[in-house]
């Protein structure tokens, strides 16, 4: 018999304002499913990110069907899983865990497909010769893979942790070919952005729990397109500042929806309606704007 009841959750830090529960549950309601999406905040529980393995095991034992994983656990969770889907293995980051029959925990990554679908929809004709990406963590690995898959000639990965940027650039070059990615430190941002086609932002800065700009505003200019990964709020300070300067801008809502749709499909085996979910996130973001979190 087809399953019609699902228990899923999200593990991460600062996830209280997440719109993922509403996105998943609204789509499930439309499909006639019983679907409960729980938030498992490591900061609320007073746990270190390294506790993600214990939380995954507890969720499996409690009968969860799957989990989404977010900052700062997307890479730490890998060692606690039984298997990885090819894309998650290539990325070295997991944002979706599916508990298969028998309790086998399999890691997937829907961030890369989510960002690619959002970019193709919102910045379809954007030039991709020289792209600067700020952030080399779990989300950064996914969006860099997506950007190169979309046809970017070269991605320069900038991170405050030089080793992390270098590791990601090396991984990208092994996957896509030598010279497709290079690493750089933040002090090089002025020169890099002056000659870049676009900026991809993939750090937590701008989230409700981490407000502000991830780089000096004066480095932005109208010749840049700007793609944001943060979706709560939809209009981060970066999105607002870039739009005011005349940049073509992609907010994080599309990536949030398309990665959620892919995760929903993995959890349930049912096809989500991404158009309805895009309308949902716009409505949810508007109704939650101005809330103190």
């Amino acid at each position: 018999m087809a399953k019609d009841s699902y228990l899923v959750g999200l593990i991460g830090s600062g996830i209280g304002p997440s719109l993922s529960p509403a996105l998943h549950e609204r789509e499930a309601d439309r499909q006639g499913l019983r679907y409960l999406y729980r938030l498992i905040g490591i900061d609320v529980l007073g746990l270190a990110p390294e506790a993600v393995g214990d939380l995954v095991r507890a969720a499996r034992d409690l009968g969860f069907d799957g989990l989404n994983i977010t900052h700062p656990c997307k890479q730490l969770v890998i060692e606690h899983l039984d298997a990885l889907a090819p894309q998650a293995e290539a990325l070295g980051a997991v944002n979706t865990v599916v508990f298969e029959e028998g309790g086998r925990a399999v890691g997937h990554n829907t961030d890369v497909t989510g960002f690619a679908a959002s970019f193709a929809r919102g910045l379809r004709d954007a030039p991709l010769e020289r792209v600067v990406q700020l952030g080399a963590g779990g989300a950064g690995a996914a969006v860099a893979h997506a950007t190169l898959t979309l046809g970017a000639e070269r991605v320069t990965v900038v991170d405050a942790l030089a080793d992390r940027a270098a590791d990601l650039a090396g991984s990208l070059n092994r996957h896509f070919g030598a010279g497709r990615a290079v690493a750089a430190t933040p002090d090089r941002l002025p020169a890099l952005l002056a000659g870049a086609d676009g900026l991809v932002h993939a750090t937590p800065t701008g989230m409700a729990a981490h407000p502000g700009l991830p780089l000096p505003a004066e480095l932005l200019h109208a010749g840049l397109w700007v793609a944001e990964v943060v979706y709560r709020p939809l209009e981060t300070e970066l999105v607002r500042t870039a739009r005011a300067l005349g940049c073509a801008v992609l907010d994080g809502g599309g990536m949030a929806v398309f990665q959620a749709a892919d995760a929903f499909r993995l959890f349930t085996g049912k096809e989500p309606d991404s158009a309805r979910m895009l309308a949902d996130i716009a409505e949810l973001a508007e109704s939650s704007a101005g809330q103190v979190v």
Side-chain angles (χ1 to χ4, degrees):
M1 291 180 62
K3 185 176 170 69
D4 64 0
S5 178
Y6 297 87
L7 175 61
V8 302
L10 171 65
I11 295 176
S13 180
I15 59 176
S18 174
L19 300 181
S20 291
L23 273 178
H24 280 251
E25 290 177 354
R26 280 186 173 204
E27 180 59 20
D29 286 346
R30 286 187 292 252
Q31 298 207 23
L33 304 176
R34 297 178 61 193
Y35 196 103
L36 182 61
Y37 192 113
R38 307 293 293 180
L39 295 179
I40 307 169
I42 58 173
D43 50 337
V44 175
L45 295 171
L47 298 174
E50 289 74 16
V52 64
D54 293 331
L55 293 173
V56 168
R57 285 187 288 274
R60 178 193 59 203
D61 293 344
L62 288 168
F64 277 66
D65 295 287
L67 296 165
N68 284 135
I69 310 291
T70 191
H71 173 79
C73 301
K74 292 183 180 183
Q75 292 160 317
L76 293 169
V77 74
I78 289 176
E79 64 181 287
H80 304 288
L81 303 177
D82 297 305
L84 295 177
Q87 195 162 68
E89 187 170 13
L91 290 168
V94 163
N95 81 322
T96 302
V97 175
V98 176
F99 296 117
E100 297 183 345
E101 192 170 342
R104 187 168 177 261
V106 180
H108 300 261
N109 195 299
T110 67
D111 283 334
V112 61
T113 51
F115 183 80
S118 178
F119 194 98
R121 174 179 173 271
L123 289 173
R124 184 182 303 274
D125 299 320
L128 286 166
E129 290 181 19
R130 294 161 296 176
V131 177
V132 175
Q133 176 174 304
L134 188 55
V143 297
H145 270 254
T147 304
L148 286 167
T149 299
L150 286 164
E153 199 168 292
R154 174 178 286 193
V155 173
T156 300
V157 181
V158 178
D159 198 279
L161 301 176
D163 288 347
R164 187 161 70 167
D167 287 347
L168 177 54
S171 172
L172 293 168
N173 284 326
R174 286 191 294 274
H175 191 78
F176 291 97
R180 299 292 300 280
V182 294
T185 50
D187 60 291
R188 291 192 55 208
L189 276 173
L192 289 168
L193 290 175
D197 295 310
L199 168 68
V200 178
H201 174 235
T203 84
T205 302
M207 292 173 62
H210 304 278
L213 274 173
L215 77 174
E218 58 267 24
L219 299 186
L220 301 173
H221 56 85
L224 277 178
W225 54 259
V226 175
E228 173 70 277
V229 169
V230 174
Y231 78 92
R232 182 55 167 80
L234 274 180
E235 188 175 80
T236 61
E237 191 168 346
L238 175 61
V239 165
R240 183 166 56 252
T241 302
R243 187 175 283 132
L245 289 169
C247 301
V249 175
L250 181 70
D251 66 41
M255 177 179 176
V257 164
F258 289 112
Q259 68 81 19
D262 289 345
F264 183 93
R265 187 182 300 107
L266 286 168
F267 293 148
T268 67
K270 300 182 185 299
E271 190 62 34
D273 187 324
S274 57
R276 294 188 305 205
M277 295 176 75
L278 284 164
D280 285 339
I281 202 167
E283 179 186 332
L284 290 163
E286 183 177 355
S287 65
S288 62
Q291 288 182 2
V292 177
V293 294

